[in-house]
């Protein structure tokens, strides 16, 4: 019989949880025809190998092994697109999501809902068990920001546990962002028409085995995603980070400048030093954040990358001054001309950095 429900399980180093997950899902979904698609990003612990073993024993299970790619959202998107069941659900592999609410979620879809969110923030839902106080705070903060940015009408926007009609995913798949963690918020923002959303509460459990992959960079991805959606998808996430790093460079520049002046260095020297220090810190921050998927490693490649980055920035500075001068002479507006120069220089730096400094094969 054809499956009514596809469970998409993104995994990275979850081999200690997979069999238990399957056992519990099987028990919870008695009477439903379902399939499971494990999407593994080539986990070092061999989760994909285990998943394929399991798939030989249980034909309802499949494994999609992705290589040279990382990212929860991208894994979820590809898993959902690989499915042919009319309903898909995304669920973590670490047993933090309560599989026992799956039948209730499916019931709501059958009753006409487009999207059902497993929610930690409605009555009957809680996050006390699986969250540290710090995580709980970050989660609440991110949720309220996202609700505002996306104008969403339901509570647990940060949830990684949801069920949706596959047709909706098919319709907006090309607009989804594969970077980061926040596939649900992205889906809601990208859906072609407002969705009929319902929530089912559950208790967020402690992770069964292994450790969390959510870190500061993942949180940054999320900020980038919100900014991207706020700009109507017109400004690429990577450029937003590049620009933010550039803006932070102004702070570094000023700090260096004043420190050097205080040390009795001449203004020209202090200014040059500040430019150099700001470019250098920008390079390393961009390497760690903006281009983390194309990160340059090792002393030689880093030194070379840094030199390229200096060259790119130097040309960017010329472009900046050129455009600003042109506009200033034409319109005589100082702030406008200067800002246009800054934007021009940033776009130039970004384009050339992406092409020459952090090029991806
Ligand atoms: N394929 C793939 N690639 N899977 C990944 C990746 C990745 O890069 N990163 C994480 N995963 C898988 C994990 O193996 C796990 O099954 C699931 O995605 C969630 O990852 P965790 O590392 O357990 O995340 P968490 O528990 O800290 O975060 C959970 O709570 C957040 C809400 O605060 C998740 O449910 C998030 O989706 C949710 O937003
Ligand atoms: Mn988890």
């Amino acid at each position: 019989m054809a499956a009514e429900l596809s469970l998409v399980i993104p995994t990275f180093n979850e081999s200690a949880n997979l069999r238990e997950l399957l056992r519990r899902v099987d028990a919870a979904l008695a009477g439903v025809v379902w399939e499971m698609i494990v999407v593994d990003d080539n986990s070092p612990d061999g989760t994909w190998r285990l998943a394929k073993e399991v798939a030989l024993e249980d034909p309802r299970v499949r494994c999609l092994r992705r290589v040279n790619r990382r990212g929860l959202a991208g894994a979820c998107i590809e898993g959902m697109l690989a499915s042919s069941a009319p309903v898909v659900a995304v669920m973590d592999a670490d047993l933090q999501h309560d599989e026992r609410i799956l039948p209730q979620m499916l019931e709501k879809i059958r009753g006409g809902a487009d999207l059902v969110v497993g929610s930690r923030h409605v009555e009957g839902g809680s996050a006390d068990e699986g969250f540290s106080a710090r995580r709980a705070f970050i989660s609440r903060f991110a949720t309220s920001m996202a609700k505002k940015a996306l104008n969403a009408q339901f509570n647990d926007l940060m949830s990684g546990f949801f069920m949706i009609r596959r047709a909706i995913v098919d319709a907006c798949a090309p607009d989804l962002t594969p970077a980061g963690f926040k596939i649900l918020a992205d889906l809601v923002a990208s859906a072609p028409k407002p969705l009929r959303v319902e929530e089912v509460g559950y208790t967020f459990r402690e992770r069964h085995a292994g450790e969390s992959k959510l870190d500061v960079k993942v949180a940054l991805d999320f900020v980038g995603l919100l900014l991207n959606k706020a700009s109507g998808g017109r400004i690429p996430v990577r450029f937003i980070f590049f620009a933010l790093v550039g803006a932070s460079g102004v702070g570094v520049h000023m700090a260096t400048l004043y420190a050097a002046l205080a040390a009795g260095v001449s203004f020209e020297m202090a200014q040059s030093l500040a430019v150099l220090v700001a470019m250098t810190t920008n390079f390393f921050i961009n390497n760690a954040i903006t281009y983390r998927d194309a990160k340059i490693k090792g002393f030689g490649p880093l030194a070379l990358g840094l030199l390229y980055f200096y060259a790119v920035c130097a040309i960017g500075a010329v472009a900046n001054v050129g455009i600003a001068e042109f506009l200033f002479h034409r319109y005589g507006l100082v702030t406008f001309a200067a800002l246009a120069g800054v934007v021009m220089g940033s776009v130039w730096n970004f384009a050339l950095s992406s092409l020459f400094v952090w090029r991806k094969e």
Side-chain angles (χ1 to χ4, degrees), residues 6-229:
S6 277
L7 288 161
V8 173
I9 314 287
T11 58
F12 194 78
N13 289 344
E14 302 288 2
S15 55
N17 295 318
L18 202 58
R19 280 187 189 276
E20 179 62 15
L21 174 77
L22 181 62
R23 201 186 60 70
R24 293 199 199 178
V25 163
D26 195 21
L29 284 176
V32 176
V33 186
W34 56 270
E35 62 170 5
M36 178 184 283
I37 305 174
V38 176
V39 189
D40 186 67
D41 286 356
N42 207 22
S43 296
D45 81 343
T47 305
W48 56 272
R49 206 175 291 117
L50 172 67
K52 289 185 189 222
E53 258 170 56
V54 171
L56 286 178
E57 299 158 14
D58 188 334
R60 294 172 299 183
V61 179
R62 269 190 286 157
C63 171
L64 190 65
R65 175 190 178 194
R66 307 198 308 162
V67 292
N68 298 323
R69 270 180 293 171
R70 259 309 292 281
L72 177 54
C76 295
I77 295 168
E78 285 185 33
M80 290 190 284
L81 292 180
S83 136
S84 38
V87 184
V88 291
V90 171
M91 192 172 142
D92 291 353
D94 57 5
L95 305 167
Q96 292 200 272
H97 296 157
D98 191 341
E99 71 291 337
R100 287 168 303 182
I101 66 168
L102 285 168
Q104 237 176 306
M105 294 167 89
L106 185 60
E107 214 39 67
K108 289 195 187 284
I109 297 266
R110 285 173 177 160
D114 295 316
L115 166 70
V116 183
V117 181
S119 184
R120 293 158 300 190
H121 302 287
V122 297
E123 208 182 337
S126 92
D128 300 342
E129 251 184 72
F131 262 162
S132 66
R134 195 175 127 260
R135 262 304 284 279
F137 172 78
I138 296 174
S139 174
R140 266 202 304 278
F141 178 71
T143 303
S144 67
M145 274 211 336
K147 274 179 86 171
K148 288 208 182 75
L150 301 177
N151 209 350
Q153 67 286 50
F154 63 97
N155 286 306
D156 201 352
L157 249 181
M158 300 297 101
S159 179
F161 188 18
F162 60 89
M163 197 179 281
I164 189 168
R165 293 180 188 279
R166 187 175 50 83
I168 297 166
V169 182
D170 285 340
C172 64
D175 301 325
L176 300 174
T177 313
F181 249 55
K182 296 311 167 194
I183 175 69
L184 178 58
D186 197 12
L187 266 174
V188 171
S190 311
K193 62 175 175 54
L195 300 178
R196 221 185 106 185
V197 186
E198 300 207 32
E199 292 180 271
V200 177
Y202 76 100
T203 303
F204 193 57
R205 294 183 293 225
E206 300 255 19
R207 182 175 246 286
H208 188 66
E211 51 198 41
S212 169
K213 284 100 214 168
L214 194 140
D215 56 14
V216 178
K217 285 187 219 152
V218 165
L220 280 171
D221 269 339
F222 181 56
V223 173
L225 175 66
L226 286 186
L227 292 172
N228 172 264
K229 291 296 168 198

